[in-house]
Amino acid sequence: YVSLFNHESVNDLKSKIIFDLVSPTGIAQKGSAISTILSKIPLLEQLNSISNLSDCIVQLAGEKYLNGTVICFDDIERKPEHFSFDVFLGFLSILKEVHQCKILLIMNDKELDTAELDELGIYKEKIIDYEINYQPTNTEIIKSLIHKSGISDKYCAIVVEEILNSNESNLRSIK
């Protein structure tokens, strides 16, 4: 799972993916050599002579750990302004075609700008096999929250009605 929120570049994403993939195996545990290298990548990328270190690590570790992996990218609409959307889509294409990764994209495409929507349209056929448009109603969301909270079903209709009548627009804040 990788959120694009607070990731500065595709190289930053690559580092996060590889670190997450190798950590459970013990290879990148804190203090190990690869952990130290991976933690330095954002700093090292600023130096022209070794700007491809992240790519090298991905290539070295990729064959063993990346192939066939399911990777979920979330918060795509929250990427930084300077984050290159077309480079990101190209990266997804490489993950899918070269590494046979299964990619899950979670985004609010209504928050993407026109240029990004155009780019997505160009790459869509290449990187997206299935598209699911998930738009639950407020009632469905509230019922799900009620179910998770353990409130008895006999009170469900009353709670739903009260919340809907409360003019609360951010359902995440309901507790």
Side-chain angles (χ1 to χ4, degrees), residues 50-61:
I50 50 178
S51 65
N52 292 326
L53 181 60
S54 175
D55 289 334
C56 292
I57 290 173
V58 169
Q59 288 173 359
L60 292 172

Side-chain angles (χ1 to χ4, degrees), residues 4 7-10 13 79-85 88 116:
L4 267 64
H7 283 284
E8 298 298 317
S9 67
V10 168
L13 293 177
K79 65 174 188 48
E81 280 290 320
H82 62 276
F83 189 100
S84 175
F85 194 65
F88 170 68
E116 292 166 341

Side-chain angles (χ1 to χ4, degrees), residues 37-116:
I37 291 169
L38 288 172
S39 69
K40 304 285 186 210
I41 287 173
L43 174 65
L44 294 175
E45 285 176 350
Q46 296 173 10
L47 304 173
N48 289 335
S49 62
I50 50 178
S51 65
N52 292 326
L53 181 60
S54 175
D55 289 334
C56 292
I57 290 173
V58 169
Q59 288 173 359
L60 292 172
E63 290 302 315
K64 186 170 184 179
Y65 297 106
L66 193 59
N67 289 346
T69 302
V70 176
I71 305 173
C72 175
F73 292 94
D74 194 2
D75 299 323
I76 293 166
E77 71 280 1
R78 293 182 179 180
K79 65 174 188 48
E81 280 290 320
H82 62 276
F83 189 100
S84 175
F85 194 65
D86 61 329
V87 172
F88 170 68
L89 294 173
F91 174 58
L92 296 181
S93 179
I94 290 169
L95 288 174
K96 182 178 178 194
E97 293 173 8
V98 175
H99 297 288
Q100 291 78 45
C101 292
K102 302 296 182 194
I103 308 295
L104 177 63
L105 303 176
I106 301 174
M107 70 179 124
N108 180 354
D109 57 1
K110 292 178 179 83
E111 296 294 321
L112 297 176
D113 65 34
T114 305
E116 292 166 341

